[in-house]
Amino acid sequence: MDNFTFSQPTRIVFGRDVENRVGEEVRKYGKRVLLHYGGGSIRRTGLYDRVVASLEKAGVEWKELGGVQPNPRLSLVREGISLCRRWGADIILAVGGGSVIDSAKAIAVGVPYDGDVWDFYSGKAVPEKALPVGVILTIAAAGSEASSGSVITNEDGLYKVGTGAKCMRPVFALCNPQLTCTLPPYQTACGVVDILAHIMERYFTPQRDVDFTDRLCEAAMISIMENARRVMADPNDYNARAEIMWGGTVAHNDILGVGRRGDWSSHRVEHELSALYDIAHGAGLAIVFPAWMKHVYKYDIPRFKQFAERVFGVSSDGRSDEEVAVEGISRLEGFFNEIGLPTTISKAGLPVDQLDTMAQKCAQGSSEVGNYAKLTFDTVLRILELAK
Ligand code: NZQ
Ligand code: ZN
């Protein structure tokens, strides 16, 4: 096991109706809050009105900036930074999913920074200071409510890139599973795939001696899949929604990644799909992850065999290790299809004539992508070919 430091400073308040406390939570960090949200789901569900009522009751002044799109854009981040500076916001409240939270984090690091906020994403600078970010989570997926990362799309060149720093972890996250009952099945499914992907990116590690976290990851994957089936059958199943929401936070708050190096190349490759075609992140991962597995399993058949046996209960009776490993990949793909997500680029209705461009953008700036298996331009292209 590798040495590690683990710190999870986000205060998670979880359960029914917790969003109604938002005013008092925000008040702890200042008097002026920027209310940041997406394309309108929070207005349709009535959440917006409850949030505003709670802020007003707590005597908090607020201004709002809605319109965050899935795959959040740099231009809105810049607008948010200038609004917060002009008005003197003390805290940013993200009400939504990963896109809104990531956009809020980008505004938060941009406000105290003298240069251009994209510097943090292009690798020119490292975020050291940020305004506090609070969250009301409305979709279980990205885990951004307790992660240190943010992923933003720069419209100029269609670059979707992530950055991360300690100061970017939200100070609080109010997580009410009831709020996720209004999600369309497609978004629920995308969220489930992203959660599984966050676990698998950590699970497939070159580090051998990580039995405790291996088994936590395996249990987490089994639970997410079981509860996803329950939610697909009954979208209003509170307890299944709750399991997935908590699972989504734990999948990406790093507790499953301690002592081991994650891979993250499927995420890197997926970001190219999202950047070019504006596809939902989870939908992109449903395509990329199985293809990545088909390419890399030969590097480490025992680990893929373990995955197949422990997560999917694949029997090794009468089968070679390789056959068991391959069966695990095909069961995962089957699960993605079962919850309604296609697992190839063409079945997702996207063109396949830009694979080269995507591989180039993915491999540019670093000679290798990933840790479990080091990928180069050629191997990224091969994975995209497998995903066709
Ligand atoms: O914009 P609105 O109208 O609110 O609609 C959203 C959006 O269209 C809708 N939605 C959210 N909650 C809803 C709802 N609709 C009905 N009822 C509700 N309760 O769902 C759509 C998707 O929202 P989005 O925030 O984009 O989803 P998600 O949480 O999957 O976030 C995806 C983004 O997070 C990034 C991804 O790359 C992607 O840009 N990620 C961020 C990470 C991080 N910061 O740690 C890690 C992840 O790997 C991921 O890369
Ligand atoms: Zn993800």
Side-chain angles (χ1 to χ4, degrees), residues 314-328:
V314 177
S315 155
S316 50
D317 287 355
R319 284 188 169 113
S320 69
D321 288 357
E322 180 164 359
E323 283 166 341
V324 175
V326 169
E327 175 66 20

PDB file of all heavy atoms in Angstrom, residues 314-328:
ATOM      1  N   VAL A 314     -18.985 -14.159 -11.601  1.00  0.00           N
ATOM      2  CA  VAL A 314     -18.680 -15.041 -12.731  1.00  0.00           C
ATOM      3  C   VAL A 314     -17.979 -16.297 -12.203  1.00  0.00           C
ATOM      4  O   VAL A 314     -17.035 -16.196 -11.413  1.00  0.00           O
ATOM      5  CB  VAL A 314     -17.771 -14.325 -13.769  1.00  0.00           C
ATOM      6  CG1 VAL A 314     -17.391 -15.278 -14.906  1.00  0.00           C
ATOM      7  CG2 VAL A 314     -18.454 -13.072 -14.318  1.00  0.00           C
ATOM      8  N   SER A 315     -18.463 -17.440 -12.621  1.00  0.00           N
ATOM      9  CA  SER A 315     -17.863 -18.695 -12.154  1.00  0.00           C
ATOM     10  C   SER A 315     -16.642 -19.043 -13.013  1.00  0.00           C
ATOM     11  O   SER A 315     -16.637 -18.825 -14.233  1.00  0.00           O
ATOM     12  CB  SER A 315     -18.914 -19.800 -12.252  1.00  0.00           C
ATOM     13  OG  SER A 315     -18.267 -21.037 -12.365  1.00  0.00           O
ATOM     14  N   SER A 316     -15.614 -19.568 -12.343  1.00  0.00           N
ATOM     15  CA  SER A 316     -14.428 -19.939 -13.125  1.00  0.00           C
ATOM     16  C   SER A 316     -14.455 -21.417 -13.526  1.00  0.00           C
ATOM     17  O   SER A 316     -13.516 -21.901 -14.157  1.00  0.00           O
ATOM     18  CB  SER A 316     -13.156 -19.600 -12.336  1.00  0.00           C
ATOM     19  OG  SER A 316     -13.260 -20.109 -11.050  1.00  0.00           O
ATOM     20  N   ASP A 317     -15.556 -22.111 -13.181  1.00  0.00           N
ATOM     21  CA  ASP A 317     -15.648 -23.536 -13.522  1.00  0.00           C
ATOM     22  C   ASP A 317     -15.533 -23.746 -15.027  1.00  0.00           C
ATOM     23  O   ASP A 317     -16.319 -23.186 -15.804  1.00  0.00           O
ATOM     24  CB  ASP A 317     -16.999 -24.113 -13.068  1.00  0.00           C
ATOM     25  CG  ASP A 317     -17.029 -24.272 -11.559  1.00  0.00           C
ATOM     26  OD1 ASP A 317     -15.987 -24.022 -10.918  1.00  0.00           O
ATOM     27  OD2 ASP A 317     -18.114 -24.604 -11.038  1.00  0.00           O
ATOM     28  N   GLY A 318     -14.561 -24.545 -15.409  1.00  0.00           N
ATOM     29  CA  GLY A 318     -14.407 -24.891 -16.823  1.00  0.00           C
ATOM     30  C   GLY A 318     -13.966 -23.737 -17.708  1.00  0.00           C
ATOM     31  O   GLY A 318     -14.065 -23.810 -18.930  1.00  0.00           O
ATOM     32  N   ARG A 319     -13.547 -22.623 -17.096  1.00  0.00           N
ATOM     33  CA  ARG A 319     -13.142 -21.467 -17.909  1.00  0.00           C
ATOM     34  C   ARG A 319     -11.698 -21.117 -17.603  1.00  0.00           C
ATOM     35  O   ARG A 319     -11.238 -21.260 -16.464  1.00  0.00           O
ATOM     36  CB  ARG A 319     -13.968 -20.241 -17.540  1.00  0.00           C
ATOM     37  CG  ARG A 319     -15.379 -20.197 -18.066  1.00  0.00           C
ATOM     38  CD  ARG A 319     -15.906 -18.802 -17.743  1.00  0.00           C
ATOM     39  NE  ARG A 319     -17.151 -18.502 -18.405  1.00  0.00           N
ATOM     40  CZ  ARG A 319     -18.305 -18.341 -17.750  1.00  0.00           C
ATOM     41  NH1 ARG A 319     -18.353 -18.456 -16.443  1.00  0.00           N
ATOM     42  NH2 ARG A 319     -19.404 -18.060 -18.414  1.00  0.00           N
ATOM     43  N   SER A 320     -11.001 -20.603 -18.601  1.00  0.00           N
ATOM     44  CA  SER A 320      -9.643 -20.105 -18.354  1.00  0.00           C
ATOM     45  C   SER A 320      -9.754 -18.755 -17.649  1.00  0.00           C
ATOM     46  O   SER A 320     -10.817 -18.113 -17.661  1.00  0.00           O
ATOM     47  CB  SER A 320      -8.915 -19.926 -19.690  1.00  0.00           C
ATOM     48  OG  SER A 320      -9.502 -18.847 -20.399  1.00  0.00           O
ATOM     49  N   ASP A 321      -8.636 -18.327 -17.048  1.00  0.00           N
ATOM     50  CA  ASP A 321      -8.631 -17.021 -16.368  1.00  0.00           C
ATOM     51  C   ASP A 321      -9.040 -15.917 -17.338  1.00  0.00           C
ATOM     52  O   ASP A 321      -9.791 -15.009 -16.998  1.00  0.00           O
ATOM     53  CB  ASP A 321      -7.229 -16.718 -15.813  1.00  0.00           C
ATOM     54  CG  ASP A 321      -6.913 -17.604 -14.609  1.00  0.00           C
ATOM     55  OD1 ASP A 321      -7.806 -18.389 -14.202  1.00  0.00           O
ATOM     56  OD2 ASP A 321      -5.773 -17.523 -14.093  1.00  0.00           O
ATOM     57  N   GLU A 322      -8.522 -16.017 -18.554  1.00  0.00           N
ATOM     58  CA  GLU A 322      -8.833 -14.981 -19.535  1.00  0.00           C
ATOM     59  C   GLU A 322     -10.329 -14.965 -19.873  1.00  0.00           C
ATOM     60  O   GLU A 322     -10.941 -13.899 -19.986  1.00  0.00           O
ATOM     61  CB  GLU A 322      -7.994 -15.189 -20.811  1.00  0.00           C
ATOM     62  CG  GLU A 322      -8.309 -14.135 -21.839  1.00  0.00           C
ATOM     63  CD  GLU A 322      -7.271 -14.029 -22.956  1.00  0.00           C
ATOM     64  OE1 GLU A 322      -6.274 -14.768 -22.920  1.00  0.00           O
ATOM     65  OE2 GLU A 322      -7.484 -13.200 -23.856  1.00  0.00           O
ATOM     66  N   GLU A 323     -10.913 -16.147 -19.998  1.00  0.00           N
ATOM     67  CA  GLU A 323     -12.359 -16.196 -20.300  1.00  0.00           C
ATOM     68  C   GLU A 323     -13.184 -15.577 -19.170  1.00  0.00           C
ATOM     69  O   GLU A 323     -14.161 -14.875 -19.417  1.00  0.00           O
ATOM     70  CB  GLU A 323     -12.797 -17.649 -20.539  1.00  0.00           C
ATOM     71  CG  GLU A 323     -12.396 -18.160 -21.914  1.00  0.00           C
ATOM     72  CD  GLU A 323     -12.517 -19.688 -22.054  1.00  0.00           C
ATOM     73  OE1 GLU A 323     -12.558 -20.409 -21.016  1.00  0.00           O
ATOM     74  OE2 GLU A 323     -12.564 -20.158 -23.198  1.00  0.00           O
ATOM     75  N   VAL A 324     -12.760 -15.823 -17.933  1.00  0.00           N
ATOM     76  CA  VAL A 324     -13.477 -15.221 -16.792  1.00  0.00           C
ATOM     77  C   VAL A 324     -13.344 -13.700 -16.863  1.00  0.00           C
ATOM     78  O   VAL A 324     -14.332 -12.956 -16.709  1.00  0.00           O
ATOM     79  CB  VAL A 324     -12.915 -15.746 -15.441  1.00  0.00           C
ATOM     80  CG1 VAL A 324     -13.576 -15.042 -14.259  1.00  0.00           C
ATOM     81  CG2 VAL A 324     -13.108 -17.250 -15.336  1.00  0.00           C
ATOM     82  N   ALA A 325     -12.131 -13.223 -17.122  1.00  0.00           N
ATOM     83  CA  ALA A 325     -11.884 -11.780 -17.201  1.00  0.00           C
ATOM     84  C   ALA A 325     -12.769 -11.138 -18.272  1.00  0.00           C
ATOM     85  O   ALA A 325     -13.429 -10.120 -18.034  1.00  0.00           O
ATOM     86  CB  ALA A 325     -10.406 -11.524 -17.509  1.00  0.00           C
ATOM     87  N   VAL A 326     -12.819 -11.774 -19.438  1.00  0.00           N
ATOM     88  CA  VAL A 326     -13.598 -11.227 -20.556  1.00  0.00           C
ATOM     89  C   VAL A 326     -15.102 -11.240 -20.242  1.00  0.00           C
ATOM     90  O   VAL A 326     -15.838 -10.306 -20.563  1.00  0.00           O
ATOM     91  CB  VAL A 326     -13.287 -12.008 -21.858  1.00  0.00           C
ATOM     92  CG1 VAL A 326     -14.247 -11.652 -22.969  1.00  0.00           C
ATOM     93  CG2 VAL A 326     -11.844 -11.735 -22.290  1.00  0.00           C
ATOM     94  N   GLU A 327     -15.527 -12.281 -19.545  1.00  0.00           N
ATOM     95  CA  GLU A 327     -16.949 -12.372 -19.170  1.00  0.00           C
ATOM     96  C   GLU A 327     -17.336 -11.212 -18.230  1.00  0.00           C
ATOM     97  O   GLU A 327     -18.432 -10.652 -18.328  1.00  0.00           O
ATOM     98  CB  GLU A 327     -17.210 -13.742 -18.508  1.00  0.00           C
ATOM     99  CG  GLU A 327     -18.606 -13.956 -17.946  1.00  0.00           C
ATOM    100  CD  GLU A 327     -19.709 -13.998 -19.001  1.00  0.00           C
ATOM    101  OE1 GLU A 327     -19.395 -14.247 -20.187  1.00  0.00           O
ATOM    102  OE2 GLU A 327     -20.882 -13.762 -18.644  1.00  0.00           O
ATOM    103  N   GLY A 328     -16.415 -10.830 -17.333  1.00  0.00           N
ATOM    104  CA  GLY A 328     -16.674  -9.695 -16.428  1.00  0.00           C
ATOM    105  C   GLY A 328     -16.924  -8.418 -17.218  1.00  0.00           C
ATOM    106  O   GLY A 328     -17.849  -7.648 -16.918  1.00  0.00           O
TER     107      GLY A 328
END
